[in-house]
C-alpha cells in the first residue's frame, strides 16, 4: 500500500491539491517510516503553502534518512538563511 499512497500523493501534488497530497504522503510515512521521498515531498508542499518552519522538520527528517543527498541541506540553508 505504501507505493499506492505515494503515487496518489504525487498525482494530487501535480494537480496542486496540496491538502490531499499531504494526507497521502503522511499515510505513506505511517505505513513506511523509512520512505524518505515522502518526507521530502511533504517538506516541498509545506514550503509551497508557506509553512516554512514545519517544512524544515520534514527536510531534516529526509536528511536523516538520506545523509548523502544534499538537496535537503540546500533547502534547509535557504529557509534558515544560513
Amino acid at each position: 500500500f505504501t507505493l499506492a499512497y505515494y503515487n496518489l500523493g504525487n498525482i494530487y501534488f501535480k494537480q496542486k491539491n496540496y491538502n490531499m497530497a499531504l494526507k497521502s504522503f503522511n499515510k505513506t510515512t505511517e505505513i513506511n517510516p523509512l520512505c524518505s521521498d515522502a518526507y521530502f515531498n511533504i517538506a516541498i508542499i509545506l514550503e509551497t503553502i508557506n509553512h516554512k518552519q514545519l517544512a524544515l522538520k520534514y527536510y531534516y527528517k529526509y536528511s536523516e534518512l538520506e545523509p548523502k543527498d544534499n538537496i535537503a541541506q540546500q533547502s534547509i540553508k535557504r529557509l534558515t538563511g544560513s
Side-chain angles (χ1 to χ4, degrees), residues 7-79:
N7 287 336
L8 189 58
N10 282 325
I11 291 168
Y12 286 131
F13 180 77
K14 288 178 184 175
Q15 295 173 342
K16 296 185 180 186
N17 187 341
Y18 298 129
N19 187 45
M20 291 304 294
L22 283 172
K23 287 181 182 181
S24 296
F25 290 131
N26 278 316
K27 188 67 174 175
T28 302
T29 62
E30 285 176 29
I31 297 168
N32 180 3
L34 300 178
C35 185
S36 59
D37 288 337
Y39 291 108
F40 188 76
N41 290 346
I42 292 169
I44 290 171
I45 293 168
L46 291 169
E47 186 176 358
T48 300
I49 62 174
N50 214 24
H51 292 289
K52 295 181 188 330
Q53 288 302 314
L54 193 51
L56 278 170
K57 171 185 167 186
Y58 288 93
Y59 282 130
Y60 282 121
K61 181 65 177 177
Y62 175 83
S63 292
E64 179 184 311
L65 294 171
E66 301 291 342
K68 293 182 180 180
D69 188 345
N70 69 357
I71 193 161
Q73 291 300 324
Q74 293 170 359
S75 298
I76 291 167
K77 285 180 184 178
R78 184 181 65 254
L79 290 177

